[in-house]
């Protein structure tokens, strides 16, 4: 299990991670999502003992990562697939790490086969690897010690569609066998498929967390009218945040009763008013992080 309590990281006057708390449970894949610069990687580096904590506590399997004896046999970490010795071959990197962990040499061949790096590829220097090959080598290294916990930052970056499917199956099987997975990714569709729990962070703070079903259940209220321009003005006047729907009308962050009253005050005739359907993860992610994103979403139909 991974437990994070009131974790904070400050750089002078800048707060990169602000009072973050969550738990990743055995047998579950926890997706860790947020815009660029939201604090995901900093949080994961603090959990893995690579970045000093300003305040709070992060434990892995009940202990501070740095106090775990032979940590690679307990926790597999992949935070930057490019941070590997470019002058060594893939096989050499795994053999050296196996030696450091006191593992039998046959684990190297097993991991290379698991991540589908051929003997010829394993014999190449890492400087000649593609990003996808470096990701596979990083995953092999994370799994080398047969750990109970995985911490992976963007592990699918650089993988082709077949590789992403392989990664998804690998992580799902790992969790189903009782492993704990903390996974960050910008591939929201893949997180939606594989994750059991989801944590969303923005500007260093948790903005939402819960099971996937809990987070995707809240999709607001669906509303359409004979005059959507007048409806939009009425909802804006009532302080209701709205997003244009694909087939006309809006999804609004308010209860149907509130929307009905706003429309009635403006004399707008409604032709549809109902609880929204379950959201897709991309839609929900944009809703939850709208105030922390760099881009202006008005051009994409976000009228909030």
């Amino acid at each position: 299990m991974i437990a994070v309590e009131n974790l904070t990281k400050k750089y002078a006057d800048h707060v990169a991670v602000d009072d973050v708390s969550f738990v990743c449970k055995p047998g579950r894949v926890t997706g860790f999502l947020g815009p660029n610069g939201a604090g995901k990687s900093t949080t994961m580096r603090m959990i893995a003992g690579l970045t000093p904590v300003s305040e709070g506590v992060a434990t892995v399997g009940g202990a501070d990562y740095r106090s775990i004896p032979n940590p690679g046999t307990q926790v597999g970490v992949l935070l930057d697939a490019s941070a590997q010795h470019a002058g060594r071959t893939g096989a050499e990197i795994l053999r050296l790490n196996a030696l450091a962990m006191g593992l039998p040499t046959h684990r190297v061949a097993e991991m290379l086969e698991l991540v589908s790096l051929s003997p010829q590829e394993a014999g190449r220097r890492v400087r000649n690897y593609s990003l996808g090959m470096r990701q596979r080598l990083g995953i092999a290294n994370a799994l080398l010690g047969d750990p109970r916990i995985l911490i992976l930052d963007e592990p699918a970056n650089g993988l082709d569609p077949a590789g992403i499917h392989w990664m998804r199956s690998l992580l799902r099987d790992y969790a189903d066998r009782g492993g704990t997975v903390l996974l960050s990714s910008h591939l929201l569709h893949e997180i939606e498929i594989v994750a059991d729990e989801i944590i969303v962070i923005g500007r260093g703070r948790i903005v939402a967390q819960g099971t996937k079903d809990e987070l995707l259940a809240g999709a607001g209220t669906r509303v359409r009218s004979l005059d959507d321009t007048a409806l939009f003005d009425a909802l804006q006047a009532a302080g209701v945040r709205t997003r244009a729907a694909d087939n006309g009308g809006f999804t609004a962050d308010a209860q149907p009763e509130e929307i009905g009253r706003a429309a009635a005050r403006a004399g707008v005739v409604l032709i549809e008013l109902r609880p929204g359907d379950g959201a897709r993860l991309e839609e929900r992610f944009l809703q939850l992080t709208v105030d922390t994103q760099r881009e202006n979403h008005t051009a994409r139909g976000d009228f909030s």
Side-chain angles (χ1 to χ4, degrees):
M1 183 173 75
I2 300 170
V4 173
E5 299 179 21
N6 308 115
L7 202 62
T8 298
K9 180 60 185 177
K10 298 177 181 178
Y11 296 97
D13 294 333
H14 173 62
V15 181
V17 177
D18 189 2
D19 197 29
V20 165
S21 298
F22 60 84
V23 172
C24 303
K25 303 172 185 175
R28 312 283 278 178
V29 176
T30 300
F32 195 29
L33 306 178
N36 289 334
K40 300 186 304 298
S41 295
T42 301
T43 299
M44 298 176 94
R45 288 180 60 84
M46 285 192 286
I47 295 170
L50 297 173
T51 294
V53 174
S54 299
E55 297 174 20
V57 177
T59 58
V60 186
D64 181 290
Y65 182 90
R66 289 166 296 183
S67 70
I68 300 172
N70 204 358
T73 62
Q74 306 297 318
V75 188
V77 179
L78 173 59
L79 299 183
D80 183 357
S82 296
Q84 301 178 76
H85 196 303
R88 296 194 184 278
T89 69
E92 285 173 343
I93 288 173
L94 292 183
R95 281 198 295 268
L96 287 171
N97 286 332
L99 181 64
M101 285 187 270
L103 301 175
T105 55
H106 65 76
R107 284 293 292 173
V108 172
E110 291 171 358
M111 291 302 98
L112 289 170
E113 182 177 1
L114 177 68
V115 302
S116 299
L117 284 175
S118 69
Q120 292 76 19
E121 291 168 332
R124 287 188 212 164
R125 299 190 187 280
V126 171
R127 69 166 60 95
N128 298 318
Y129 276 18
S130 67
L131 177 56
M133 291 172 66
R134 291 185 188 214
Q135 293 285 19
R136 290 176 182 271
L137 179 62
I139 294 164
N141 197 43
L143 292 170
L144 187 62
D146 195 21
R148 300 169 298 154
I149 297 168
L150 287 178
I151 301 173
L152 308 175
D153 192 5
E154 301 287 348
N157 189 24
L159 294 179
D160 58 22
I164 292 171
H165 177 80
W166 162 79
M167 166 81 66
R168 181 201 310 156
S169 300
L170 177 73
L171 296 182
R172 185 70 267 163
D173 179 66
Y174 180 89
D176 289 344
R177 290 185 286 109
T180 302
V181 180
L182 176 60
L183 167 69
S184 85
S185 179
H186 287 109
L187 301 176
L188 299 184
H189 176 65
E190 294 307 313
I191 291 288
E192 186 169 1
I193 292 173
V194 76
D196 303 295
E197 315 271 346
I198 294 175
I199 301 163
V200 184
I201 188 172
R203 292 181 180 169
R205 297 187 66 89
I206 300 294
V207 297
Q209 61 180 308
T211 68
K212 179 170 61 179
D213 290 342
E214 288 170 348
L215 261 63
L216 299 188
T221 297
R222 181 76 175 86
V223 59
R224 284 192 302 149
S225 72
L226 294 178
D227 186 345
D228 280 348
T229 299
L231 174 62
F232 173 73
D233 291 341
L235 295 176
Q236 287 290 97
V240 176
R241 177 179 289 173
T242 60
R243 295 170 298 283
D246 292 338
N247 57 345
F250 305 97
T251 298
D253 293 339
Q255 294 298 314
E257 180 180 353
E258 181 181 354
I259 293 170
R261 285 176 174 169
R265 285 194 297 267
V268 177
V269 178
L270 301 182
I271 58 176
E272 183 179 7
L273 181 63
R274 60 178 175 80
D277 299 321
R280 300 287 295 183
L281 183 55
E282 181 178 17
E283 176 188 351
R284 192 70 177 123
F285 175 80
L286 293 174
Q287 291 174 20
L288 292 167
T289 61
V290 65
D291 295 328
T292 68
Q293 296 163 23
R294 300 175 188 272
E295 291 79 5
N296 183 340
H297 293 287
T298 302
R300 294 194 293 178
D302 186 343
F303 294 97
S304 55

